[in-house]
């Protein structure tokens, strides 16, 4: 662009550097964009103006200049409890396998947990039951035979074939 614009290059470079979302969308949609600087208008093509994305400072955004992804990595209490529910499924499925039960066997489970883990199991009981093919799940105050731990939260459970 330097050869074409000469002394006007600085003024147009400033205009290009300050393009807004609407102008960039127009450039990408139509393949050209007309800008004014110093009372003169120039039309630029998409080949002359390269649009690159970059991560905004202070965000979790990752960008390769063509696409950007911003992930919210904050672990809320709800997300932690959902994770605990998935881990309970994992422990039950492991015990199922150790006992030689078929993946299609319907089971019943009695679970003992306290605190946040008990809350997570209660909140995600339908999910846990669906994933483990559990027909009946009792949340019991009495410790059970199989003990397990998730993030230093102990719980116990007993499983058997559903009748």
């Amino acid at each position: 662009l330097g050869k074409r614009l000469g002394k006007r290059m600085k003024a147009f470079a400033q205009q290009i550097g300050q393009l807004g979302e609407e102008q960039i969308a127009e450039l990408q949609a139509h393949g050209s964009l007309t800008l004014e600087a110093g009372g003169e208008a120039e039309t630029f093509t998409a080949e002359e103006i390269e649009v690159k994305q970059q991560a905004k400072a202070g965000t979790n955004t990752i960008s390769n200049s063509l696409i950007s992804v911003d992930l919210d990595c904050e672990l809320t209490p709800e997300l932690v409890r959902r994770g605990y529910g998935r881990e309970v499924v994992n422990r039950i499925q492991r015990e199922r396998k150790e006992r030689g039960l078929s993946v299609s066997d319907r089971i019943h489970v009695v679970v003992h947990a306290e605190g946040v883990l008990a809350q997570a199991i209660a909140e995600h009981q339908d999910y846990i039951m669906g994933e483990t093919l559990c027909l009946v799940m009792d949340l019991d105050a009495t410790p059970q035979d199989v003990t397990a731990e998730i993030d230093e939260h102990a719980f116990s459970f007993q499983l058997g074939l559903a009748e």
Side-chain angles (χ1 to χ4, degrees), residues 37-134:
E40 296 184 40
E42 283 286 335
T43 300
F44 300 95
T45 66
E47 290 79 33
E48 293 173 316
I49 299 177
E50 187 175 341
V51 178
K52 289 187 176 183
Q53 296 179 357
Q54 65 184 39
K56 191 174 187 178
T59 68
N60 293 321
T61 304
I62 299 170
S63 179
N64 70 356
S65 81
L66 300 176
I67 188 168
S68 296
V69 177
D70 186 7
L71 299 175
D72 181 359
C73 300
E74 180 184 344
L75 285 177
T76 64
E78 293 82 13
L79 283 175
V80 171
R81 289 192 305 272
R82 185 182 304 165
Y84 287 166
R86 290 178 184 204
E87 288 299 317
V88 168
V89 167
N90 175 275
R91 301 314 189 277
I92 292 171
Q93 296 294 56
R94 278 194 218 166
E95 183 64 22
R96 245 182 119 101
K97 186 175 180 179
E98 283 185 27
R99 292 190 182 190
L101 297 177
S102 169
V103 293
S104 62
D105 287 338
R106 303 302 192 247
I107 61 171
H108 68 267
V109 178
V110 179
V111 179
H112 168 75
E114 295 177 357
V116 69
L117 195 52
Q119 182 183 359
I121 293 169
E123 283 178 13
H124 300 287
Q125 185 172 352
D126 290 341
Y127 168 76
I128 295 167
M129 290 176 68
E131 291 296 307
T132 60
L133 299 180
C134 177

Side-chain angles (χ1 to χ4, degrees), residues 12 14 16 21 30 49 99 108 114 116 118 129 156-157:
F12 279 105
Q14 184 177 7
I16 292 169
E21 287 182 39
H30 302 293
I49 299 177
R99 292 190 182 190
H108 68 267
E114 295 177 357
V116 69
M129 290 176 68
S156 62
F157 64 95

